[in-house]
Amino acid sequence: MTDPVLELLRSRPDLAEIAAFPFDFDVERTRHVEEVSLASGAALEPIAGDDSGGTYFLCGGTSVLYASSEGDAVLIADSVSEALEMLVRLPGWCEGLTAGLDEEGLRAAVAAGDAAAREEFAPELDAQRAALLAGLGLPERPLTELFALSESAARRTEPDHLLLNAAELCAYRLDEAYRMCLRDVVLGPGRAALVRLRRGEAGAREEAEADPVLRAGVLRAAWEDRDEGDLPLLRALLAREDAARGARHEERLVAAALVAAYGRDEDVPLLRSATSGRVTDAGSAVEWARGREEHGPDAFTWVELARRQGLVGHARVELIRLLDDTGPDAVRLRALSRALEGIGEYAQAARAQVNLLSLQDTAHGRAGEAYTLARVERLRGELGFAAGALERARQAVGPAGGEGAGRGRGGPDESVAQWHRRGLGRHLAEQHLELVLAAVESGEAELARTTMRHAEAVLERIAAKGAGTLAPLSSRARWAVAGLRGA
């Protein structure tokens, strides 16, 4: 459904002319300087532009996002009418509009800006403003309320309105004052639960002990805000974490470090169990706890907690921002690639993986990161790119598996001399077969046949070296492969 104010501007040239000048909202200027998209995948429609090359976008059919031509973007309003009211009554030429100003202060700032505008370029400003407000049916609410709405919108830019360059997938900048703090977002439930636990509220401990995600938040909150009276609570949470003994162990170590820091003899048996024997007495407990202080939470801690809390959008924003700020750091890029893949952000994961692949200086590293890139490209549906990544992996291990092959730049070396006896061979073959299956399902028969020939060549090289074959494929995969072999 078209926004009624936007429809009015599009159908009333007289109003559109005033909106374009002097208020710099030109509905005829809808071409942005580059292709963009929202990281959330929501609909994005350019609806107007300004004389600096910036563009106003309608997001999801309602909210208005402004993107400058210099790479900044911020949510400005929850509707077109709200955005127009702000642009007309709090125009960009008014300086000194800051939080904390009362109605009188805002009116004074607007009056000073308007006076300069009348003198420099808009002598009929008052009549133009009145005509546009009346023609569009815009209200004249208190300026303090209008300014508060603009500030509120800006602070809600993340996570749902993060704007990306569509080609490079880098995020547009947002003023630090409006940036989302993921740490505070994900610690919110844990901090609230910790307050209830410290007060001894009925049911609070049972709730925390029963919910592993809430328990993780409580432990992280307790790590950030230590209290001498927390020891009984921490003992209970540690006992619960130690009893769980699931795939996750980080929270168990956090709880153990919090308890160990007290250095109590009576806690040693539980600490010995929780730390797999690393704590043997009260002295070693304190020493171990001090060592754990060096492994405190980092950005990935909050990303993982966000994922577990179901806040995938928040995790996405944090990871994209981190990736934008990461240079040639292989460890960081690998962590980002895996984390992005883990939340289903395959395009961003591929971006990280491409950069990671470019840093590899051994054939084994190139092959390993190339087959990982193939997996990510396949998962995001770019089967041709996946095939290209597998070709790079095959080139890395070389025509003879690295044994006696040339060792020029980018070619095989001793790091892949036994590639067939390691996980590299199995993973490489598996990725070929996964791509075969994906190509069959997408109807790309030629790609499926070509990839199948490469897969069989890899399998033959593994078998020729006496390294065995792959683990059994799924029945679906076996059916697809058998069908291709018979074709």
Side-chain angles (χ1 to χ4, degrees):
M1 183 173 120
T2 306
D3 184 283
V5 170
L6 184 58
E7 187 60 34
L8 261 177
L9 284 175
R10 288 171 172 171
S11 61
R12 291 276 304 274
D14 57 325
L15 296 178
E17 183 178 356
I18 300 173
F21 182 84
F23 299 107
D24 217 9
F25 186 90
D26 188 348
V27 293
E28 297 296 323
R29 195 191 300 243
T30 58
R31 184 178 180 84
H32 195 51
V33 293
E34 61 185 0
E35 291 295 319
V36 292
S37 63
L38 289 174
S40 65
L44 190 68
E45 177 192 357
I47 57 173
D50 64 19
D51 60 10
S52 69
T55 307
Y56 295 94
F57 292 92
L58 197 60
C59 304
T62 55
S63 303
V64 179
L65 181 82
Y66 174 74
S68 77
S69 59
E70 302 299 319
D72 299 277
V74 62
L75 189 70
I76 65 168
D78 290 330
S79 67
V80 176
S81 61
E82 201 174 273
L84 262 297
E85 188 184 356
M86 291 172 186
L87 293 171
V88 172
R89 300 191 61 219
L90 299 170
W93 57 71
C94 297
E95 299 178 354
L97 303 181
T98 58
L101 282 179
D102 58 14
E103 185 75 14
E104 183 179 349
L106 284 170
R107 287 189 180 281
V110 172
D114 284 354
R118 289 189 203 96
E119 183 177 344
E120 294 175 16
F121 59 87
E124 299 179 0
L125 175 62
D126 297 321
Q128 290 169 315
R129 174 178 283 142
L132 192 56
L133 289 172
L136 296 178
L138 298 178
E140 291 196 48
R141 70 187 91 199
L143 293 182
T144 50
E145 179 183 344
L146 194 58
F147 186 75
L149 287 173
S150 71
E151 289 287 287
S152 173
R155 289 191 172 88
R156 287 182 282 109
T157 303
E158 296 176 344
D160 295 331
H161 302 93
L162 182 70
L163 191 67
L164 304 179
N165 170 299
E168 299 174 0
L169 301 181
C170 297
Y172 273 54
R173 296 180 298 268
L174 177 65
D175 189 287
E176 196 68 33
Y178 303 131
R179 289 276 298 273
M180 172 194 73
C181 178
L182 184 61
R183 171 178 166 274
D184 288 341
V185 170
V186 299
L187 280 181
R191 284 169 172 164
L194 183 59
V195 169
R196 295 195 300 273
L197 287 162
R198 285 172 173 170
R199 290 173 178 169
E201 293 184 10
R205 179 169 294 191
E206 291 77 8
E207 181 186 7
E209 290 184 6
D211 185 342
V213 179
L214 180 59
R215 201 162 63 239
V218 169
L219 288 168
R220 292 297 181 184
W223 182 277
E224 300 274 318
D225 177 23
R226 309 291 175 94
D227 189 294
E228 284 297 318
D230 283 346
L231 182 55
L233 164 65
L234 296 172
R235 283 170 173 159
L237 294 177
L238 174 57
R240 185 68 184 85
E241 289 292 340
D242 191 49
R245 286 282 173 172
R248 302 191 56 80
H249 66 279
E250 185 60 28
E251 276 75 41
R252 185 174 77 251
L253 295 179
V254 171
L258 288 168
V259 172
Y262 287 85
R264 303 291 178 83
D265 289 329
E266 59 266 38
D267 293 322
V268 170
L270 179 57
L271 289 170
R272 182 183 292 114
S273 172
T275 64
S276 302
R278 281 170 283 187
V279 169
T280 56
D281 54 37
S284 65
V286 173
E287 183 179 355
W288 181 80
R290 287 173 180 164
R292 288 296 304 175
E293 291 285 348
E294 300 176 4
H295 302 283
D298 60 12
F300 292 98
T301 301
W302 312 128
V303 166
E304 176 59 15
L305 190 51
R307 186 195 65 78
R308 295 178 69 193
Q309 291 175 347
L311 302 176
V312 175
H314 292 75
R316 177 197 301 124
V317 168
E318 186 75 4
L319 290 171
I320 291 173
R321 295 283 191 200
L322 287 171
L323 180 54
D324 287 350
D325 293 338
T326 298
D329 183 334
V331 173
R332 185 63 163 242
L333 286 169
R334 185 173 293 107
L336 285 166
S337 173
R338 304 308 185 263
L340 285 159
E341 183 182 354
I343 63 169
E345 279 296 313
Y346 302 125
Q348 293 286 351
R351 175 161 75 106
Q353 195 63 30
V354 166
N355 292 337
L356 176 59
L357 177 55
S358 71
L359 298 177
Q360 303 308 305
D361 56 7
T362 68
H364 190 280
R366 288 188 292 274
E369 301 305 345
Y371 82 67
T372 300
L373 176 60
R375 179 182 70 229
V376 174
E377 295 286 16
R378 172 176 52 80
L379 288 170
R380 77 168 175 139
E382 295 289 350
L383 304 190
F385 289 162
L390 287 177
E391 181 179 2
R392 294 182 69 175
R394 294 193 302 273
Q395 290 173 346
V397 297
E403 297 178 358
R407 287 163 172 73
R409 179 176 175 80
D413 54 39
E414 291 302 323
S415 68
V416 290
Q418 296 294 316
W419 71 279
H420 53 283
R421 295 185 181 279
R422 303 172 182 172
L424 178 58
R426 178 175 62 83
H427 290 311
L428 187 56
E430 283 178 338
Q431 286 309 312
H432 277 81
L433 293 171
E434 288 285 359
L435 181 55
V436 169
L437 182 56
V440 169
E441 292 174 334
S442 65
E444 299 186 41
E446 186 55 38
L447 175 61
R449 293 188 182 93
T450 300
T451 306
M452 188 63 215
R453 288 195 292 271
H454 290 306
E456 290 182 322
V458 170
L459 286 167
E460 287 171 5
R461 288 166 64 185
I462 293 174
K465 298 293 185 179
T469 59
L470 298 177
L473 297 172
S474 68
S475 59
R476 196 167 63 104
R478 286 199 302 271
W479 173 84
V481 171
L484 283 164
R485 280 178 167 164

